[in-house]
Amino acid sequence: VQLPAGGAFVITDFVCFAGEHCLPAMGTLPRIYARDLGSVLLLVVAAVASRSNFWMRGLTYRSTVLPVWKEKIFKSVVYLGLLGTVDAVLRRGGQLLAHAGLPVGPGSERSAGLLRGLLLHAPFVFWALQGPLSSSTRDDRGWSEAASKSWFWKWLSVKVFKDTRVVLSEEWRHLTAEQRSHWQHRHYIIGMHPHGLLPLGAIISGLTWASGGLRGITASGAVLPEPPDSGPLLHQRWLVHMRLRAAVATGACGLFPIFFEMFRYLGGFECTKPFVRDRLREGKDVAIFPGGAQEAVFATPGRYVCYASKHKGFVRLALEEQRDILPMWTFGDEAIMPQMWDPPSSVRALQTLVKEVTGLLMPPIFGGLPRFPPLTLVAGVPVSLEDLWAPTLGGTVTDAAVEEGHRRYIEAQRRLFDMNKVHVPGGHANAVFEVR
């Protein structure tokens, strides 16, 4: 179209100037960007609601369990917002590349939309409807023994980390046969540290068969006699009645692909008190990370932080449910994805905000490239709490009893750490145990 200098004409929603590029007409801007801004607005509304009502946090912050219908509506809103936002980024990104003379993908907007629908929207909607929106993350019904024996975990153990093990603490060598038998025939709440950005060592060696399960071998290689009535399940060669499950942050186990499947099939469920209590009363053992996502802030090579000085809810639960606590520490998990020691205050504020919304430490602030150190999960001697238990199952316990139980737990973790750091691979001999 030939136009005089300064001339202009309108094509649908765009004004085209002679010698210039076409720009959106001012009156059409709201309609053009409504879809993009609407998706972001959905995410903002979901985030504000989650942060205000602690929907992704658990009963440490809420007094009641979130109704299932409300949880599904919340997840649906989050997914709609995420899909719309990703779609907008892909759409606008394609337009920007085409504008720069670097066309990618289909030549028309219609074809590009169909492609996004086939490769993005349809698979994600199918996954959401078949997964989080139809299955519960409040119990361990998704647990699969086959998943715990998958070749993937063995490959990760042997090919990526080279050396993953689960061993007994040296403390077990100092117990009598009668004392060992006593602890081998009980159920536990398991206290796990450190959390790391993702506790792969605890997952590989604790929830799968990749490291062979717990046996009568200590960190130094000493061999102890295994119980004659050992069972066939994971870790039952040493802990006869062990039926291990894992209480996981709500945001990790219930919202995102891959994490949802991984934790569901490995026995993970939402870390909320009533759900943990139900698993315990079914005769199962539940692993908990008392430090939570906040402990991941300290994940960096050479730093060993037990972030539990103020976290005592798991001790109270153990006393109420008449359980002892089995301490475990994974040497190497602190170093897999190094975090920056002192990130900018603005980034730390963003992490705090996201954690308040989802319960997860995001975005991670890497202080170096990922590492693949040897990973050794060490099982300590259980912390005896029987003299502090509630008089009846589910009964009340005093704050003084919780304080004493917590003190014993911290000391048990410290003892486990100090007695085994020289025996595990990875250069931990001079490590210093920190409690925060």
Side-chain angles (χ1 to χ4, degrees), residues 101-158:
L102 301 171
V104 292
S108 70
E109 178 65 23
R110 180 181 177 84
S111 298
L114 289 174
L115 188 63
R116 292 195 303 274
L118 288 173
L119 299 183
L120 174 64
H121 292 267
F124 191 89
V125 169
F126 178 80
W127 169 82
L129 291 175
Q130 294 296 312
L133 298 182
S134 63
S135 303
S136 174
T137 58
R138 301 181 174 201
D139 55 50
D140 63 333
R141 283 180 290 180
W143 175 80
S144 165
E145 185 175 9
S148 70
K149 295 180 177 180
S150 169
W151 63 268
F152 172 76
W153 303 111
K154 191 66 177 179
W155 173 83
L156 202 61
S157 171
V158 174

Side-chain angles (χ1 to χ4, degrees), residues 393-406:
L393 189 66
T396 59
V397 294
T398 65
D399 290 343
V402 173
E403 290 292 335
E404 173 59 19
H406 184 264

Side-chain angles (χ1 to χ4, degrees), residues 374-424:
L375 303 174
T376 307
L377 177 59
V378 182
V381 171
V383 182
S384 179
L385 300 174
E386 191 166 353
D387 60 312
L388 304 174
W389 285 353
T392 58
L393 189 66
T396 59
V397 294
T398 65
D399 290 343
V402 173
E403 290 292 335
E404 173 59 19
H406 184 264
R407 184 194 65 79
R408 295 180 191 179
Y409 173 75
I410 295 297
E411 286 306 308
Q413 283 287 6
R414 187 188 303 277
R415 188 164 54 250
L416 179 162
F417 185 91
D418 289 337
M419 290 188 69
N420 295 278
K421 63 184 182 180
V422 299
H423 298 294
V424 299

Side-chain angles (χ1 to χ4, degrees), residues 189 314-323 325 385 389:
I189 285 179
F314 71 106
V315 177
R316 184 178 295 277
L317 179 62
L319 300 184
E320 291 174 348
E321 296 301 310
Q322 299 181 343
R323 291 288 182 101
I325 300 179
L385 300 174
W389 285 353

Side-chain angles (χ1 to χ4, degrees), residues 3 61 75 104 185 195 264 279 323 361 371 395 434:
L3 292 177
Y61 304 89
K75 287 181 178 179
V104 292
H185 292 82
H195 188 286
R264 178 170 171 77
R279 305 293 79 74
R323 291 288 182 101
L361 186 73
R371 303 186 181 194
E434 292 183 58

